Amino acid sequence: MIKELWQYVASSTELPVAKQMGFLKEAIAMGARSKRCQRQWDAHYLRCKQTIFAATQRAVQKRTVLIFGAGSLNDIPLSYLSSQFFKVVLVDLVFLKPARRMASNYSNIELIEHDVTESLEWLCQGQTLVQSPFMWLDDSSIDLVISLNLITQLPLIPVRWLMNEFDLSESEADIVGKQLIFAHLRYLKQFSGEVCLIADRVDIELDSQGVELDRFDPWWDVEQPKADIHWEWEVMPLGESSASKSQKNVIGVSTL
Ligand SMILES: C[S@@+](CC[C@H](N)C(=O)[O-])C[C@H]1O[C@@H](n2cnc3c(N)ncnc32)[C@H](O)[C@@H]1O
């Protein structure tokens, strides 16, 4: 806990909204959780890396690869991408020091702190305006785009922020959540290279015996593109957030 607090104080972000709205705190908490749940999370990271490996092989040319939601970089085959592509562009709102250190080993890997919704400045001020993102759409050197365990995360912090800070009603919050997911999907579809979407499709809560208690649609009822490959991610093993409940997410991969 003290280590995480120190990490929070010592971390800087290029985007003030990332700290203000709570994304930096969440990135630090997620780093700590990934260490506590290493065995379960490593299996998921491996599947992500294999998926990126396969998508790279489908890319017709290998000039630039763009990854949204790069975060810890733990689910990205860095050496492989660095050797295959002329340029590797990794995007997230927040990059912590361990990720910066890893990326600094490769001269052609660039980390960019950027809001992929291009809407957080508005949402942070309580204005429920969801924009259509356009960054990189005019870059014709992008041959592969990966959206990496990101799309269902986009609404979570902004919607909570709007409800807590600006008394947004549940029905208004629901519209913002849907718009953020829909806008990201539409954005991805506008790239002309190979586009691969890795995302959770259903989140399942289990009791201590592994019996299903409940399941949630993390897409806020937005229609999901068909997934060609699936796997299960034990995201919250028993004891992580509760002694009597665990959570697994079904991850799906779509080519858009
Ligand atoms: C579930 S994590 C996956 C991160 C990474 N693939 C990993 O496993 O470490 C979701 C990531 O989305 C990022 N994120 C959330 N909202 C974002 C936004 N508006 N723009 C860019 N990144 C965002 C978070 O900072 C976080 O790193």
Side-chain angles (χ1 to χ4, degrees), residues 222-247:
V222 172
E223 192 182 344
Q224 303 180 12
K226 186 181 146 300
D228 307 316
I229 298 169
H230 290 97
W231 67 85
E232 288 182 353
W233 176 17
E234 272 188 78
V235 65
M236 294 269 193
L238 209 57
E240 174 55 23
S241 76
S242 151
S244 57
K245 285 182 193 164
S246 66
Q247 185 184 320

Side-chain angles (χ1 to χ4, degrees), residues 23 30 69-72 75 92-93 114-117 148-150 154:
F23 288 96
M30 194 172 149
S72 68
D75 43 4
D92 203 288
L93 268 178
H114 166 74
D115 163 28
V116 301
T117 70
L148 187 53
N149 297 308
L150 167 71
L154 293 175

Side-chain angles (χ1 to χ4, degrees), residues 34 38-58 65 67 69-82 84-85 90 102 106 109 144 146-149 196-199 229 231 233 251-253:
S34 78
Q38 192 176 357
R39 184 179 60 76
Q40 293 87 349
W41 285 37
D42 276 355
H44 161 71
Y45 289 154
L46 181 64
R47 296 300 302 262
C48 293
K49 287 178 183 173
Q50 288 167 340
T51 302
I52 295 172
F53 182 83
T56 299
Q57 292 182 330
R58 289 195 303 271
V65 52
I67 301 192
S72 68
L73 316 189
N74 286 332
D75 43 4
I76 301 175
L78 292 179
S79 303
Y80 176 70
L81 291 181
S82 170
Q84 293 293 306
F85 286 88
L90 306 180
M102 275 195 267
Y106 306 91
I109 296 187
L144 174 61
I146 311 272
S147 176
L148 187 53
N149 297 308
C196 173
L197 170 70
I198 304 174
I229 298 169
W231 67 85
W233 176 17
I251 308 295
V253 179

Side-chain angles (χ1 to χ4, degrees), residues 151-152 155 176-185 218-220 222:
I151 191 165
T152 60
V176 174
K178 283 181 170 50
Q179 285 177 333
L180 285 167
I181 289 189
F182 192 74
H184 185 63
L185 200 53
W219 282 64
W220 299 57
V222 172

